[in-house]
Amino acid sequence: MKRVCFLSMDDLSGYVADDELAIPALADLGWRVETVSWRDTDIDWNAFAAVIIRTTWDYQKEPDRFLAVLEQIDNSAARLENPLETVRWNLSKTYLRDMERRGSPIVPTIWDAAYTAESFAAWRRDLAADELIIKPVVSATAEHTYRLREYDAGLESVFKTREFMVQPFMPAIITSGEFSLFFFGGEFSHAINKSPRPNDFRVQEEHGGIITAIRPEPSMLRAADKAVKAIDRELLYSRVDLVRDADDNFLLMELELIEPALYFRMDERSPKFFAEQFDRRMQRGPE
């Protein structure tokens, strides 16, 4: 069997992952999966036909080191999925500016900001929002993401050395949740709704988020498909996160192309579809 690596983190305690559901489907196609930490310096990447970035959910703590590891993989005989160029672009949430220019409406965002009391007042005014979301442009699992109604001086140290972004808090996160649509090989696979637990706004399972499988309505699927088509290449996996605005339009919140949870357990067909798309790409050869 040909060897393929699922790239992970050292310890997934406290996280919810289900990548193992794809392993039997990959085995049926002749692929033996091995899960390896991206921090393991003793790995011979040449031993793998492909390395698939999966549960590397601590990369934001050392993004330069993470990219250096991916560069080593990219320079080896292994095929990196998703590609290094795509990871570099998607690593900073400033990619959303590109997506907006390419025709995917995003949540209104203020960039290149400085965290001060004066700025906070201006952000509320400019975004016409009573509550704001402030988060680093390089982050994962909602780390250092804050929902604020008033200026919090205690966060000055958090954002003093971090580039960050400011958005209005979207009430639909509470009323209807966030929607994630998954694409494998550029083709739609499945979709979920993620809603926060009571008295929270974070939808990640690590923070108590409630996950439900859904069938996307046509306008939702069109918005997600438009975002995927705006990427400059076909990818093994893409996750499009959408939220409704006050006019019931779907806005792009995130385009997850590095290490998104793929929620195989929410769709019985999805592990096999993922494996088939991976095998098809490998049979096709280098891009």
Side-chain angles (χ1 to χ4, degrees), residues 96-126:
L96 287 167
R97 291 186 287 197
D98 294 333
M99 293 300 295
E100 186 175 34
R101 285 192 290 266
R102 295 172 188 175
S104 286
I106 68 171
V107 175
T109 305
I110 292 173
W111 308 93
D112 304 320
Y115 187 79
T116 66
E118 294 76 16
S119 295
F120 191 91
W123 299 334
R124 288 185 59 183
R125 181 184 65 248
D126 294 345

Side-chain angles (χ1 to χ4, degrees), residues 21-22 25 184 264-265 267-276:
L21 295 178
F184 301 146
F264 290 129
R265 66 190 181 279
D267 183 85
E268 184 177 1
R269 167 181 170 268
S270 62
K272 182 180 179 182
F273 185 45
F274 174 85
E276 290 172 343

Side-chain angles (χ1 to χ4, degrees), residues 125-256:
R125 181 184 65 248
D126 294 345
L127 294 171
D130 292 331
E131 292 184 279
L132 301 175
I133 295 293
I134 304 178
K135 56 186 175 183
V137 297
V138 178
S139 67
T141 66
E143 184 174 25
H144 291 305
T145 296
Y146 301 95
R147 175 185 175 186
L148 300 174
R149 184 177 290 271
E150 303 293 341
Y151 181 73
D152 184 347
L155 297 180
E156 291 176 1
S157 60
V158 173
F159 293 115
K160 184 176 182 179
T161 59
R162 288 183 176 88
E163 185 180 355
F164 63 94
M165 56 197 285
V166 183
Q167 297 177 322
F169 174 69
M170 303 294 287
I173 290 291
I174 303 298
T175 58
S176 60
E178 177 182 308
F179 304 92
S180 291
L181 289 81
F182 303 87
F183 292 76
F184 301 146
E187 296 183 32
F188 173 70
S189 171
H190 59 292
I192 60 172
N193 174 268
K194 300 181 291 185
S195 297
R197 66 182 180 182
N199 302 314
D200 204 335
F201 68 99
R202 297 167 298 181
V203 299
Q204 293 83 2
E205 287 174 285
E206 292 78 21
H207 302 296
I210 301 165
I211 312 300
T212 308
I214 63 167
R215 183 186 299 273
E217 58 190 83
S219 59
M220 183 192 304
L221 186 55
R222 284 195 299 269
D225 188 62
K226 184 175 185 179
V228 169
K229 284 183 167 56
I231 306 170
D232 60 359
R233 66 203 307 170
E234 178 194 296
L235 301 174
L236 173 60
Y237 54 85
S238 309
R239 193 182 88 196
V240 183
D241 294 341
L242 302 172
V243 65
R244 295 181 190 270
D245 67 9
D247 296 319
D248 213 28
N249 300 309
F250 289 101
L251 303 181
L252 180 63
M253 291 194 69
E254 298 274 2
L255 181 61
E256 297 278 6

